[in-house]
């Protein structure tokens, strides 16, 4: 893992993205989108206007989506159900679908 990717991961897990916190989810998502769109030729194709934040990122050539993503974390629930106590800062889990551009 590169230092840049590790830094992004650390920034992402600092956000409390528990389901229902759309503002925090959107902030974490923007970090991921900023990272992806820093690559030449990658841009945001569509994004949510309201509700749960999501984004579709693709290439300028229009060859297809690179990923469709939303970021949220499921609440830890009852600690009694865990084999080990959950971390006080539950890591961000992202639900992303990656797709290779069509050729």
């Amino acid at each position: 893992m590169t230092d840049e990717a590790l830094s992004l991961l650390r920034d992402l897990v600092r956000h409390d993205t528990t389901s229902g916190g759309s503002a925090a989810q959107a902030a974490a998502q923007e970090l991921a989108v900023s990272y992806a769109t820093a690559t030449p030729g990658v841009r945001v194709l569509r994004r949510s206007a309201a509700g749960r934040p999501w984004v579709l990122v693709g290439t300028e050539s229009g060859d297809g989506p690179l990923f469709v993503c939303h970021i949220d974390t499921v609440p830890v629930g009852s600690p009694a159900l865990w084999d080990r106590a959950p971390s006080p800062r539950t890591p961000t889990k992202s639900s992303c679908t990656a797709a290779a551009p069509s050729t």
Side-chain angles (χ1 to χ4, degrees):
M1 178 177 293
T2 67
D3 289 342
E4 184 180 18
L6 183 57
S7 178
L8 172 65
L9 178 60
R10 286 179 175 149
D11 287 344
L12 287 171
V13 299
R14 284 185 183 106
H15 291 271
D16 178 2
T17 58
T18 304
S19 295
S22 294
Q25 292 170 9
Q29 180 177 283
E30 284 308 307
L31 285 173
V33 169
S34 293
Y35 180 80
T37 56
T39 302
V42 176
R43 66 185 178 93
V44 172
L45 301 175
R46 292 185 61 198
R47 66 173 60 236
S48 60
R52 177 184 286 175
W54 60 267
V55 66
L56 171 64
V57 176
T59 62
E60 290 177 354
S61 65
D63 288 335
L66 296 176
F67 65 87
V68 178
C69 187
H70 79 271
I71 297 175
D72 69 328
T73 305
V74 177
V76 297
S78 171
L81 299 174
W82 290 68
D83 291 336
R84 290 182 286 178
S87 167
R89 292 182 62 106
T90 304
T92 300
K93 296 179 183 178
S94 65
S95 173
C96 297
T97 304
S102 60
T103 55

